[in-house]
Amino acid sequence: MKRLVMWDIDYTLLRGGGVAARSWKAAFTEVTGVAWQDTPVFGGRTDLDICAEVFATHGVTDCTPERFFARYIEIVHEARHEFAEQGALMPGVREVLTRLRGRPEVVQTLVTGNVPEVARAKVTAFGLGDEFDAEVGGYGTDDSVRATLVKRSLERAEAKYGEPFQPVVIGDTVNDVRAALANGAVAVAVATGATTAAELQAAGAHTVLPDLSDPDRAIEALTA
C-alpha cells in the first residue's frame, strides 16, 4: 500500500520569521477596525479555529472569516519574500523531501492549519512548491478541527489516485499527533517547535525525532 505523507508546515518544515503572524494582525485591524489586543496560541491549530477565537476575544461580530482571510492572503502575498529572508528551513528538511520524492510508493502533501494560499506562499518561498501534491492536502479552511484536515486529505488522495493509502502525519505539536491517531495514521513527531519530545511521546506519537538532521532515521520513521 502506498503511503500518504502529510507534512505540517510551521516548525516542522520551516519557520516563517513571524511574517504570517504580522500579516494576520495587520489584516485583522484593517478589516475590522478593532485594535489588536491579545495574541492567541497559533501552534497546531487551524486558521478557522484561531479566527473564531480572535473574533470572540476582540468582540467582533460583524466580520466573516472569508472576508478576513481574503485580506490576510493579500498581505501575505505582498510580504512573501520575507519568509525566506527572515525565516529558515528546519534541519534536514530538504534532503528528506528530495529522497522521498524518488520513492514511487510515497505521495507527499501538506496538512496544515494554514489557509491554502498562505501554505503555498510559505513552501514556495523556500523552493519547496514542487515537492507536494497540494491538490490532496488538508488546510485550515477545511474545518476548525485538525483531525478533519487529515481525513479530508486522505479522502482527496484516494479519490485522485484511485487506491487506498496508509496515512502518515508528521508535525511538531500534540495537535498533530492527536489528529493522526484519530484517523488511524502513523504519527511521526519532531521536537522542533515549542512542544517537548516528552510531551509528544506522551500524546502517543509512534516516533519522536529531535529534528530531521538524520535523514536515514527520518525516512525510516516515515516509510517503515
Side-chain angles (χ1 to χ4, degrees):
M1 184 182 293
K2 285 187 176 180
R3 290 210 159 198
L4 181 66
V5 178
M6 305 170 171
W7 289 89
D8 171 55
I9 294 179
D10 296 296
Y11 291 94
T12 299
L13 288 172
L14 56 90
R15 54 179 179 82
V19 177
R22 290 193 298 273
S23 299
W24 184 289
K25 294 176 185 178
F28 175 82
T29 300
E30 181 179 328
V31 171
T32 66
V34 177
W36 187 267
Q37 301 172 30
D38 188 39
T39 300
V41 174
F42 282 83
R45 299 175 64 188
T46 71
D47 277 355
L48 272 176
D49 182 31
I50 297 167
C51 190
E53 178 182 333
V54 169
F55 281 14
T57 299
H58 291 79
V60 174
T61 58
D62 58 350
C63 183
T64 65
E66 292 77 14
R67 182 179 161 213
F68 164 73
F69 288 142
R71 183 57 184 142
Y72 169 55
I73 291 164
E74 290 176 347
I75 294 175
V76 168
H77 181 73
E78 294 164 2
R80 65 192 183 281
H81 60 283
E82 296 179 8
F83 284 119
E85 294 173 358
Q86 301 178 23
L89 283 180
M90 305 309 284
V93 163
R94 197 176 298 278
E95 183 174 353
V96 171
L97 291 175
T98 299
R99 287 173 59 176
L100 286 176
R101 187 204 313 154
R103 301 184 68 143
E105 77 278 15
V106 173
V107 172
Q108 300 187 86
T109 192
L110 300 169
V111 169
T112 170
N114 291 281
V115 300
E117 296 86 351
V118 172
R120 188 179 309 115
K122 288 181 177 181
V123 297
T124 301
F126 291 93
L128 303 179
D130 294 332
E131 300 293 346
F132 310 102
D133 185 346
E135 289 183 350
V136 302
Y139 302 99
T141 47
D142 283 328
D143 199 87
S144 296
V145 178
R146 184 98 189 190
T148 306
L149 277 54
V150 175
K151 180 181 178 182
R152 294 283 183 271
S153 179
L154 184 59
E155 290 171 346
R156 287 166 180 154
E158 293 183 342
K160 178 175 179 177
Y161 291 93
E163 59 184 302
F165 283 87
Q166 170 62 58
V168 181
V169 172
I170 176 166
D172 67 291
T173 72
V174 167
N175 286 340
D176 295 302
V177 174
R178 290 173 177 165
L181 299 179
N183 287 277
V186 175
V188 177
V190 285
T192 45
T195 309
T196 67
E199 289 169 330
L200 294 166
Q201 191 72 55
H206 296 97
T207 302
V208 179
L209 304 172
D211 56 31
L212 301 179
S213 58
D214 183 343
D216 290 334
R217 186 181 176 196
I219 289 170
E220 180 181 5
L222 294 166
T223 63

